[in-house]
């Protein structure tokens, strides 16, 4: 059963990016996003809007979308979904 926000992963994982060491943060997050199944999603929790990371996601193989669930001021929640 899908929720009203049109994403299909009811057991969506939340990844708190502040728990990942800064030196490997982007590669680790990109690896997790790349591993998403088609129609899967992950919720990123970040201390700022992850615009540079979203640009990197756009360059990944496959089709990804993002939705800002919470837009600050102290934390941002961004849902990244794999479309294909």
């Amino acid at each position: 059963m899908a929720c009203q926000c049109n994403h299909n992963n009811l057991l969506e994982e939340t990844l708190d990016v502040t728990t990942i060491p800064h030196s490997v943060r982007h590669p680790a997050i990109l690896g997790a996003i790349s591993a998403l199944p088609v129609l899967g999603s992950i919720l990123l929790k970040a201390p700022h809007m992850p615009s540079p990371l979203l640009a990197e996601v756009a360059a990944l193989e496959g089709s990804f979308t993002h939705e800002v669930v919470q837009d600050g001021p102290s934390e941002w929640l961004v849902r990244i979904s794999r479309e294909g």
Side-chain angles (χ1 to χ4, degrees):
M1 173 183 234
C3 66
Q4 302 243 348
C5 65
N6 208 22
H7 82 282
N8 296 313
N9 189 351
L10 294 180
L11 300 175
E12 181 175 63
E13 295 287 333
T14 298
L15 179 58
D16 182 349
V17 303
T18 63
T19 64
I20 303 170
H22 192 268
S23 61
V24 297
R25 188 171 291 166
H26 279 215
I29 297 167
L30 292 171
I33 292 168
S34 294
L36 285 173
V38 172
L39 301 181
S41 65
I42 192 167
L43 194 61
L44 297 182
K45 179 180 172 185
H48 60 82
M49 181 62 184
S51 298
L53 178 74
L54 294 174
E56 292 178 73
V57 170
L60 292 175
E61 187 174 322
S63 177
F64 296 90
T65 61
H66 74 273
E67 169 192 7
V68 178
V69 177
Q70 181 175 326
D71 194 14
S74 60
E75 73 178 20
W76 279 252
L77 295 174
V78 178
R79 176 175 292 111
I80 298 178
S81 302
R82 183 177 206 132
E83 301 298 316

